[in-house]
Amino acid sequence: MSEKTHNADFDAIIIGAGFAGLYMLHRLRDLVGLRVRLVDKAGGVGGTWYWNRYPGAMSDTESHIYRYSFDKEMLQEDHWDNRYLMQPEILAYLQRFAERYDLYRDIQFDTAVESAHYDEDTDTWTLGLADGSTMTSKYLVTAVGLLSRINKPDIPGVDTFAGDLVHTGAWPADLDITGKRVGVIGTGSTGCQVIVASAPKVAHLTVFQRSAQYSIPSGNGPVTEDEIAETKKQFDEIWDQVRNSQVAFGFEESTVPAMSVSEEERRRVFQENWDRGNGFRFMFGTFCDLVTDEDANKAAADFIRSKIAEIVKDPETARRLTPTDLYAKRPLCNAGYYEVYNRDNVTLVDIKENGIKEITPKGVITEDGTLHELDVLVLATGFEGVDGSYIRIDLRGRNGQAIKDHWADGPQSYLGILTAGFPNMFMVLGPNGPFTNLIPSIETQVEWISDLIAHSEASGAVSVEVRPEVEQEWTQMCAEMAEGTLFPKAQSWIFAANIPGKKHSVMFYFGGLKEYRRELGDAIQDGYAPLAFQPQKVLA
């Protein structure tokens, strides 16, 4: 530690106690040997799984790979009952992990960070906390998650509602919707989960649909003890496949172009994967070009549309539920989503055809003058994804430049980890990181960051940062990759389209986890040439 930074409160401060922050704390404290403090505004560990406690909250990654892979003993000890993990199970898993590695002693909960400023004179970061106190460190790691800044819609009268008004990202632990009249605004991944889980419980459910969705069955269900035992035997092979795949969801991605086979064969493959379930498997495991070739994409979209027509009994409801755009958003999967609309206690309101005029104390009034009386109004309106958690903080790097100004034309980074002008700051799942199952990407990034910090410490550097031209090259490459797909042509949060007035921006690296890991390895092989290390100044 340099003369100027040894007086800092900590060697490293981590923001966020989810999968990324907890693993980073373990790596930096226990393997690199730094003095580390992890802070989180929540009252416990979990990150997104602490806050998102809404009915039906579930991972869409299969249970055996929605966990850390580095601890082989823990993999063998753990147990799961179903194909997917529900929110309470994920939260309990992270609590066990924190206990296993004695992480709680270095975590500070109920601590909201309002500012983080880099001081070039001392080569340290100063964090301003909501209680007015500050803390300092040499390194700053932001493990704030892709989806944590709540997006609350600007609807006239929204704050006048007299019932329970809740956002799915801040679900009250004591809220019981049983037997109540519930409205849900939004039908993205979270909205669909809430809808499926709530419909059997409530007196009436009114769904205010902003966009019709392509939803694949999840295929969720119990797994047998024999299946679990066989999976545990194959963990080495499973994780090797995950790390060397594109989306890292634990299945072999297809190499077959959709239009290279007959229509009959396409339908057979689509049906087989529909029956098995999982949105990513359907999008990437059926054929190799659903997100790059419009004819292939149309074939998949037409198949899903035909399923909606088969499942939904009322023709008008089926029409409203049927998407007409490309099948090119983050793929959804749910158990029985379309079937929900056959229930007598569920009403679908398409707000593109019949918009929300205002919200009153009694409920929602649509443009046709109808008052939809409600006891509970659920805002499943998502988040300002990826960069939203950064621009909400007064985050300033060299020369006092604010991150929101540096990213005024769209977020930029190198590897989704570093951004120019912000020395010794490392992002986990920052802008233009990999579009994959998140846990393998988190492990990959955390390990690379901790190794880089160890290298920087060993070399005696006071700071490390990405060269501006390297950041520009990575950002441009990510934009070119995105343009080679159909994703930018769909209105989706993964390009910031869900935030009114926000510029359409590329937020992900679409090259896949295998290629992303190669990029990280190349940087190491090149002696971290893309980065600039500032050596310790020698006092005269």
Side-chain angles (χ1 to χ4, degrees):
M1 196 60 56
S2 73
E3 286 295 320
K4 290 195 294 182
T5 60
H6 78 281
N7 289 324
D9 297 325
F10 304 97
D11 299 330
I13 295 174
I14 303 163
I15 306 175
F19 272 96
L22 294 178
Y23 189 31
M24 183 62 74
L25 172 56
H26 165 56
R27 294 275 303 191
L28 291 182
R29 186 193 70 185
D30 301 335
L31 302 184
V32 182
L34 301 185
R35 297 172 300 133
V36 187
R37 176 58 54 90
L38 188 156
V39 299
D40 197 301
K41 66 180 179 181
V45 302
T48 189
W49 300 108
Y50 176 92
W51 297 105
N52 287 266
R53 304 180 183 215
Y54 58 85
M58 180 186 82
S59 168
D60 63 357
T61 304
E62 294 192 43
S63 300
H64 64 282
I65 53 173
Y66 201 74
R67 58 191 67 241
Y68 300 111
S69 70
F70 78 94
D71 187 335
K72 292 188 178 183
E73 186 176 301
M74 192 174 184
L75 285 173
Q76 295 300 323
E77 292 171 356
D78 278 341
H79 189 274
W80 54 96
D81 296 316
N82 294 289
R83 186 177 173 190
Y84 301 99
L85 297 173
M86 303 301 291
Q87 178 271 337
E89 297 172 289
I90 301 170
L91 184 59
Y93 170 81
L94 289 171
Q95 290 166 343
R96 288 199 308 277
F97 179 81
E99 291 168 358
R100 181 181 182 90
Y101 287 93
D102 190 24
L103 301 181
Y104 283 108
R105 63 184 167 93
D106 289 306
I107 304 177
Q108 188 170 316
F109 296 118
D110 301 307
T111 302
V113 177
E114 294 189 340
S115 65
H117 295 174
Y118 185 71
D119 187 330
E120 295 178 66
D121 291 331
T122 61
D123 299 306
T124 57
W125 283 94
T126 299
L127 274 64
L129 309 179
D131 65 2
S133 64
T134 61
M135 58 174 62
T136 58
S137 66
K138 178 177 181 179
Y139 300 106
L140 174 63
V141 181
T142 57
V144 294
L146 291 177
L147 302 172
S148 59
R149 186 182 187 184
I150 285 174
N151 175 38
K152 184 178 178 181
D154 185 18
I155 301 173
V158 66
D159 292 322
T160 69
F161 181 61
D164 291 305
L165 178 69
V166 296
H167 192 283
T168 52
W171 192 273
D174 60 351
L175 178 60
D176 184 4
I177 61 173
T178 304
K180 296 182 178 180
R181 300 168 299 177
V182 177
V184 177
I185 299 177
T187 54
S189 179
T190 295
C192 290
Q193 289 184 344
V194 172
I195 291 161
V196 171
S198 300
K201 299 179 180 179
V202 302
H204 194 272
L205 179 67
T206 305
V207 177
F208 299 93
Q209 174 185 273
R210 298 189 299 171
S211 300
Q213 299 287 359
Y214 294 100
S215 180
I216 307 300
S218 66
N220 195 22
V223 291
T224 67
E225 292 298 325
D226 287 345
E227 288 173 321
I228 294 173
E230 188 61 28
T231 295
K232 289 184 176 182
K233 286 181 184 177
Q234 299 177 9
F235 262 132
D236 285 346
E237 293 86 349
I238 288 169
W239 282 102
D240 183 65
Q241 189 279 330
V242 166
R243 296 187 188 100
N244 288 285
S245 67
Q246 183 176 355
V247 293
F249 271 78
F251 59 84
E252 293 289 342
E253 289 122 351
S254 176
T255 58
V256 179
M259 307 316 288
S260 69
V261 301
S262 67
E263 183 177 352
E264 181 182 21
E265 174 63 6
R266 280 197 300 274
R267 186 163 186 91
R268 185 197 67 77
V269 172
F270 287 143
Q271 184 66 54
E272 179 182 288
N273 284 271
W274 177 274
D275 293 339
R276 185 163 185 179
N278 188 273
F280 273 86
R281 181 185 292 274
F282 191 89
M283 181 174 278
F284 294 96
T286 51
F287 298 100
C288 66
D289 55 353
L290 298 192
V291 299
T292 56
D293 181 85
E294 291 206 23
D295 290 336
N297 188 273
K298 182 178 184 301
D302 285 345
F303 177 85
I304 301 171
R305 292 179 190 127
S306 73
K307 287 297 183 183
I308 299 171
E310 287 177 16
I311 294 167
V312 182
K313 296 176 181 177
D314 177 61
E316 180 58 19
T317 301
R319 181 190 68 80
R320 291 173 180 168
L321 286 169
T322 302
T324 56
D325 55 349
L326 290 165
Y327 176 48
K329 298 180 182 180
R330 186 191 187 282
L332 307 184
C333 66
N334 293 277
Y337 175 66
Y338 298 119
E339 289 83 349
V340 160
Y341 295 95
N342 291 329
R343 297 179 62 94
D344 292 336
N345 70 329
V346 176
T347 299
L348 176 67
V349 178
D350 186 340
I351 60 177
K352 285 185 177 178
E353 297 180 354
N354 184 22
I356 295 175
K357 182 178 180 182
E358 64 177 322
I359 296 173
T360 72
K362 290 185 176 181
V364 175
I365 298 178
T366 46
E367 292 291 351
D368 64 359
T370 301
L371 169 63
H372 302 270
E373 294 193 58
L374 304 169
D375 303 307
V376 180
L377 179 55
V378 178
L379 303 178
T381 48
F383 304 84
E384 186 171 1
V386 189
D387 65 334
S389 298
Y390 291 89
I391 60 178
R392 72 173 176 82
I393 300 173
D394 180 16
L395 181 56
R396 297 176 182 270
R398 288 196 185 279
N399 303 313
Q401 184 184 40
I403 194 84
K404 63 181 180 180
D405 294 331
H406 181 52
W407 289 350
D409 293 327
Q412 304 174 64
S413 81
Y414 172 55
L415 303 169
I417 292 176
L418 302 104
T419 190
F422 290 77
N424 287 349
M425 187 185 90
F426 309 96
M427 304 174 288
V428 186
L429 302 183
N432 289 332
F435 182 74
T436 66
N437 171 18
L438 294 184
I439 310 307
S441 289
I442 285 171
E443 277 195 302
T444 296
Q445 291 188 332
V446 166
E447 290 163 7
W448 193 86
I449 292 168
S450 60
D451 288 347
L452 171 58
I453 289 175
H455 174 84
S456 182
E457 287 292 290
S459 69
V462 296
S463 69
V464 55
E465 60 190 299
V466 63
R467 302 179 190 278
E469 65 274 16
V470 174
E471 176 181 75
Q472 293 169 10
E473 289 169 4
W474 181 263
T475 302
Q476 180 60 32
M477 181 182 68
C478 288
E480 291 171 359
M481 279 187 170
E483 287 302 318
T485 75
L486 301 175
F487 286 119
K489 297 183 179 181
Q491 293 295 304
S492 170
W493 70 264
I494 65 176
F495 290 92
N498 64 319
I499 305 299
K502 190 166 183 177
K503 183 178 179 179
H504 185 278
S505 299
V506 174
M507 297 284 190
F508 289 95
Y509 166 85
F510 287 99
L513 184 59
K514 178 181 179 180
E515 286 303 306
Y516 180 75
R517 290 173 64 86
R518 184 187 61 76
E519 293 277 1
L520 295 179
D522 287 350
I524 297 172
Q525 288 292 322
D526 292 342
Y528 296 108
L531 310 180
F533 293 85
Q534 180 182 327
Q536 172 69 49
K537 297 181 179 70
V538 178
L539 299 177

